[in-house]
Amino acid sequence: MYIDSHCHINFPELAARLPEMLEKMRQNQVSHALCVSVNLPDFPQVLALAEAHDNIYASVGVHPDYEDTPEPSAEMLAETAKHPKIVAIGETGLDYFRLTGDLEWQRERFRQHIRASRLSRKPLIIHTRSASEDTLRILKEEGAAVQDGGVAGVMHCFTESMEVALAAMEMGFYISFSGIVTFKSAKDLQEVARAVPLDRMLIETDSPYLAPVPFRGKTNEPAFVKHVGDFIADLKGVPSTEVQRATTENFFRLFQIPG
């Protein structure tokens, strides 16, 4: 079985066809999915999905791309994360690609999430784009690394260099690959995926975005994570069952879910 470690099935594109989407997960041997929060106003939808379905989990957090939205505090996030179906803090991080100007507010929001992770002992879901140096620096400054008393987490939808992957793994983070790894243009990322050990890897869809080949350009959904896993198995020259086993075990271990 495969697991989609990062999706947004509360978004309208998928929420409107939830029963069909869940059935397609079953047909494609995708056993579980983590529905990831991007802001506080929509968080109740995320949690409701997790509460309604045994195989859906939730996170709580505010994405770095959301400017005009209620800001979370570390204490509020940690208190909310006490819910048994909330298994992570985020997604959080830095994005210098979509937003420009004075982004100190983004860095402060990121710090609040890291502090919430330390308070709650729930792992972080990290979004970083054109900001890897500051992302790694703030993670270290705030003690997100396992060796500094943090619980680390996952670098989601990874598109950075092998150097960034190594630095993140040294702190205890897992590396998660999305449908981007299947794109013909993603040769450098494919080399990173080939090099990242299976015991440090997760797979995801980030649906409804970034559908993998052969569905590129269409609405993505958790069932398609199978194609990410199968592609990585081919890259590594191992049976797909090996990728299934490793990424499933990693998911349950990282998010502290009884297997």
Side-chain angles (χ1 to χ4, degrees), residues 14-193:
L14 296 176
R17 42 182 287 266
L18 189 65
E20 175 199 346
M21 188 203 70
L22 292 170
E23 174 58 22
K24 286 182 71 175
M25 283 176 60
R26 189 190 65 78
Q27 292 173 0
N28 285 272
Q29 297 184 303
V30 179
S31 62
H32 297 76
L34 173 51
C35 186
V36 174
S37 170
V38 295
N39 62 39
L40 297 179
D42 294 335
F43 168 71
Q45 302 169 10
V46 174
L47 183 57
L49 282 168
E51 290 177 328
H53 303 280
D54 289 344
N55 64 332
I56 305 296
Y57 292 90
S59 73
V60 60
V62 182
H63 193 291
D65 285 353
Y66 285 68
E67 286 187 85
D68 299 318
T69 195
E71 288 292 341
S73 69
E75 293 75 17
M76 182 275 291
L77 290 169
E79 183 65 26
T80 306
K82 289 179 179 178
H83 190 290
K85 289 305 290 284
I86 297 175
V87 299
I89 302 293
E91 65 186 280
T92 182
L94 301 174
D95 193 318
Y96 297 170
F97 180 82
R98 292 191 182 96
L99 300 175
T100 57
D102 183 0
L103 297 179
E104 185 56 33
W105 62 268
Q106 206 180 75
R107 292 184 282 274
E108 176 56 28
R109 180 187 291 175
F110 186 24
R111 292 181 188 275
Q112 291 297 321
H113 284 76
I114 301 168
R115 292 166 193 170
S117 172
R118 288 178 58 97
L119 286 169
S120 65
R121 311 310 297 167
K122 299 284 176 80
L124 290 157
I125 299 173
I126 302 296
H127 169 107
T128 182
R129 192 169 185 194
S130 301
S132 59
E133 185 175 334
D134 277 0
T135 298
L136 293 170
R137 174 179 60 82
I138 291 173
L139 286 169
K140 290 173 183 174
E141 288 175 357
E142 293 291 336
V146 171
Q147 58 267 38
D148 295 328
V151 290
V154 56
M155 307 296 283
H156 119 85
C157 195
F158 194 81
T159 55
E160 304 291 337
S161 67
M162 192 64 211
E163 289 72 23
V164 174
L166 288 170
M169 288 189 289
E170 187 176 336
M171 288 191 282
F173 282 83
Y174 288 77
I175 308 298
S176 182
F177 295 96
S178 70
I180 293 174
V181 77
T182 70
F183 298 172
K184 288 182 179 178
S185 59
K187 298 302 182 187
D188 290 345
L189 184 61
Q190 289 164 11
E191 289 305 309
V192 175

